[in-house]
Amino acid sequence: MTAPLGEFDLIARYFTRPVRRAALGVGDDCALLAAPAANEQIAISSDMLVEGRHFLPGADPDALGHKALAVNLSDLAAVGARPHAFTLAIALPEADPRWLEGFARGLFALAEAHDIELVGGDTTRGPRNLCITVLGFVPRGLALLRSGARPGDDLWVSGTVGDARLALGHRLGEWTLDAQTQDSTFPRMDRPEPRVALGLALRNVAQAALDISDGLLADLGHLLRASKVGATVDADACPASAALRSQPLQRRRLCQLAGGDDYELLFTAPPTERNAVAAAAAQAATPVTRIGRIDAEPGLRLIDASGQVLDNVYAGFDHFRTP
Ligand code: ADP
Ligand code: MG
């Protein structure tokens, strides 16, 4: 029998890669990074994935490695920051080489795709918990904030929303999806693609932005409060995949408006910038859809394609409120 994998062997084997940009990576008490250029700011954000809370026991480790970093990159995307480096604090019930290999594979594949490097972290035994802190750079004053929306702005969303919630409902037994729909929606839940290129392209175009993690309307609520404005949203304009369009209307609306785990960008821009928004979307090869407008009157008004007002029953996810 081979000796069990120790903490430091584990770090050396699975989480130590040559650094390209950092002056010093894994192995000392701190990592050392070059400071950003004088006209840049550091964007920094942490997101934690907890077993039983954010993912089900037995989840594919490769997908978890991807998702743990993806949800963090999504926060950099939301402010329009360029990914630079990240740290990983990880608690594991045991040092299982098979799990670690899969996790590291998913993690580093996405890290390489976005040119971000792992420079340090912490490793401990405990209930499975994955916490990443990402760091990026953004030119001073160009970060896209939640507080920048102005009355009259168009409201836009990237990609499509609702597929992750559709997949989750199947896994929770709320409804049953056919095999083809499972194949098209499970990756949206397990391997979200952070919209980093779009965030960068929108820097000089959008007024306000955030990423959708808790549900489109719930996250929009955060943006409206931060900007001290209201909005009118056309539920029927919200972009849906073909899989979601074939679902019953009430389920489709629930998934799109209150679903969460979408990691799409929600952003506002003045109507004079419509061509610039289209150019940014083309540059980032990411479709965007106009779903409403920002109003001076506070509150959120939900309508359908005919202009009929709908009840907003689409509360998003809240760790201490959602059962
Ligand atoms: P310290 O005792 O200073 O907290 P540790 O012994 O916890 O340092 O970690 C040793 C080195 O390994 C440090 O450079 C730390 O940043 C790095 N490290 C620990 N866990 C991880 C991890 N999961 N991923 C990347 N680097 C890690
Ligand atoms: Mg430590």
Side-chain angles (χ1 to χ4, degrees):
M1 228 189 90
T2 51
L5 191 61
E7 176 186 339
F8 299 99
D9 308 323
L10 184 164
I11 296 166
R13 191 178 307 171
Y14 297 105
F15 298 126
T16 307
R17 298 278 173 103
V19 282
R20 298 179 305 269
R21 215 185 277 123
L24 183 64
V26 170
D28 214 306
D29 290 311
C30 287
L32 297 174
L33 308 177
N39 60 346
E40 288 185 314
Q41 293 176 307
I42 301 174
I44 183 162
S45 177
S46 298
D47 253 308
M48 183 155 68
L49 297 186
V50 176
E51 183 169 282
R53 195 71 206 164
H54 299 93
F55 58 92
L56 304 168
D60 173 19
D62 187 307
L64 281 178
H66 175 102
K67 189 164 179 175
L69 182 58
V71 302
N72 278 279
L73 285 169
S74 181
D75 286 316
L76 290 181
V79 300
R82 186 173 83 254
H84 187 73
F86 70 105
T87 61
L88 167 68
I90 187 166
L92 298 169
E94 74 271 308
D96 171 4
R98 278 227 333 258
W99 192 94
L100 281 156
E101 259 156 46
F103 178 81
R105 198 185 319 117
L107 179 78
F108 285 112
L110 189 67
E112 271 147 39
H114 289 278
D115 193 25
I116 188 168
E117 59 188 9
L118 179 60
V119 297
D122 197 26
T123 303
T124 169
R125 188 197 288 266
R128 204 179 305 278
N129 189 338
L130 319 165
C131 181
I132 285 180
T133 297
V134 280
L135 196 145
F137 294 147
V138 61
R140 186 176 301 278
L142 285 192
L144 299 170
L145 306 183
R146 297 176 177 192
S147 54
R150 298 291 172 258
D153 280 359
D154 293 326
L155 182 64
W156 298 85
V157 68
S158 65
T160 64
V161 287
D163 276 0
R165 181 65 181 83
L166 189 61
L168 178 67
H170 175 89
R171 284 173 169 159
L172 295 178
E174 292 174 336
W175 48 70
T176 304
L177 303 177
D178 62 37
Q180 195 191 343
T181 307
Q182 292 177 41
D183 287 348
S184 71
T185 59
F186 284 7
R188 295 295 312 268
M189 176 177 173
D190 298 334
R191 296 181 165 273
E193 285 301 334
R195 300 301 195 181
V196 174
L198 182 64
L200 294 175
L202 286 173
R203 271 175 183 171
N204 289 300
V205 178
Q207 294 270 81
L210 88 176
D211 67 321
I212 304 177
S213 54
D214 298 331
L216 192 158
L217 294 187
D219 285 315
L220 174 59
H222 299 314
L223 186 148
L224 299 182
R225 278 185 291 280
S227 297
K228 302 189 173 65
V229 294
T232 304
V233 174
D234 177 354
D236 290 328
C238 293
S241 67
L244 198 57
R245 282 199 303 274
S246 68
Q247 299 295 312
L249 181 65
Q250 287 315 311
R251 182 184 303 167
R252 170 182 164 174
R253 287 213 170 121
L254 170 83
C255 289
Q256 290 195 281
L257 301 174
D261 244 9
D262 295 303
Y263 303 102
E264 295 293 352
L265 297 187
L266 190 63
F267 61 96
T268 83
T272 50
E273 296 295 307
R274 282 180 193 168
N275 287 340
V277 169
Q283 189 192 326
T286 307
V288 298
T289 307
R290 192 151 50 87
I291 61 166
R293 64 156 195 275
I294 299 296
D295 306 323
E297 187 190 345
L300 203 158
R301 287 153 290 281
L302 191 63
I303 59 172
D304 68 10
S306 70
Q308 176 107 16
V309 176
L310 305 176
D311 266 351
N312 179 5
V313 293
Y314 303 104
F317 188 81
D318 179 318
H319 278 287
F320 295 101
R321 283 194 174 146
T322 310

